[in-house]
Amino acid sequence: MEDTPIIDIVGLSKKFGKTHAVDGVSLQIERGEIICIIGPNSAGKTTLLLLMGGVHYPSKGHVTVMGLHRWKDNFEIRKRSTFLTADPLFGACPTPYEFLRFYAQIYGMPKQEFLDKVKPMCDAMELTEHLDKGWGELSLGMMKKVGLIAVFLPEVELRFLDEPFAGGIDPRGMETLYRWMQEGKARGETIVFSTQVLEQAET
């Protein structure tokens, strides 16, 4: 339902052995918000995002996303959301272009829609000339840009971004990311991201 929070978390905890990575978190995230999870290394930011994203199972607590049970309805939620890991994973795709095309196919994007969107996005990230290169020819910052383009390609309601400003992304890429986030908010999307840097959170 549109009037309910897009994410509702109650008493969420996650233990790894004796370590409490997340301990008793409760929060609600409304639709159309940009939310930042901020904290130093080992504060539990990534674990919390992975719990919200359905990658980890909790030790305790419950998460509802879009009114759906985070783990029972995981497949349906994943069709309506994207997730950027801190270090993007590209699988067996040999080039950035093949990865982006595969990602678009997962979300059912028609080929022409993909072609119409991918070029201006790659141009904005100054990545177009590198699309057909092998991963070994790309810097870490370029690979991070590929991951960012991927998670903003499909039209979804919710985007999770783990440390999107880290990993060697340059100032032009940061400016583009800020713009994409604001444009997403204007479309009514919800964006949840993490960072260690207060300035990025404030911006």
Side-chain angles (χ1 to χ4, degrees):
M1 296 176 62
E2 295 298 322
D3 58 346
T4 61
I6 194 166
I7 299 176
D8 190 5
I9 298 174
V10 180
L12 195 62
S13 297
K14 179 64 177 179
K15 289 181 67 177
F16 296 97
K18 295 183 179 181
T19 302
H20 284 273
V22 172
D23 190 9
V25 172
S26 295
L27 66 92
Q28 291 184 334
I29 298 175
E30 301 299 328
R31 296 171 187 272
E33 289 189 320
I34 298 178
I35 295 294
C36 176
I37 302 169
I38 189 166
N41 286 333
S42 301
K45 302 185 300 298
T46 293
T47 302
L48 181 56
L49 277 173
L50 291 173
L51 287 164
M52 285 193 279
V55 180
H56 284 337
Y57 286 92
S59 302
K60 292 182 181 178
H62 181 71
V63 180
T64 300
V65 180
M66 307 173 201
L68 302 171
H69 189 288
R70 173 69 266 189
W71 294 278
K72 291 181 181 178
D73 302 309
N74 204 358
F75 182 71
E76 180 61 29
I77 296 170
R78 284 175 181 265
K79 290 192 298 183
R80 297 161 60 184
S81 62
T82 58
F83 196 112
L84 175 74
T85 56
D87 297 310
L89 304 173
F90 304 112
C93 298
T95 67
Y97 181 83
E98 291 299 324
F99 171 74
L100 293 171
R101 179 65 185 136
F102 174 69
Y103 200 93
Q105 289 173 332
I106 290 175
Y107 284 88
M109 289 182 67
K111 184 176 181 180
Q112 191 58 53
E113 180 184 349
F114 165 72
L115 293 173
D116 290 342
K117 291 187 69 173
V118 74
K119 187 181 187 306
M121 293 180 75
C122 290
D123 287 346
M125 282 290 186
E126 299 181 324
L127 198 71
T128 304
E129 64 184 272
H130 306 289
L131 284 176
D132 294 319
K133 293 182 178 179
W135 298 110
E137 301 177 74
L138 302 184
S139 67
L140 291 176
M142 289 179 184
M143 288 189 277
K144 189 60 170 275
K145 288 180 178 182
V146 175
L148 288 167
I149 292 166
V151 296
F152 280 93
L153 256 179
E155 294 184 7
V156 294
E157 301 170 50
L158 175 62
R159 305 186 197 274
F160 296 103
L161 313 174
D162 190 11
E163 297 283 1
F165 297 99
I169 186 171
D170 57 28
R172 174 70 179 272
M174 289 186 183
E175 290 177 6
T176 299
L177 176 55
Y178 284 131
R179 177 166 57 83
W180 288 354
M181 292 170 74
Q182 290 295 336
E183 290 172 350
K185 177 180 171 64
R187 291 190 297 266
E189 298 170 4
T190 305
I191 299 172
V192 184
F193 76 101
S194 65
T195 183
Q196 302 180 48
V197 183
L198 182 60
E199 180 182 357
Q200 293 168 353
E202 290 176 335
T203 302

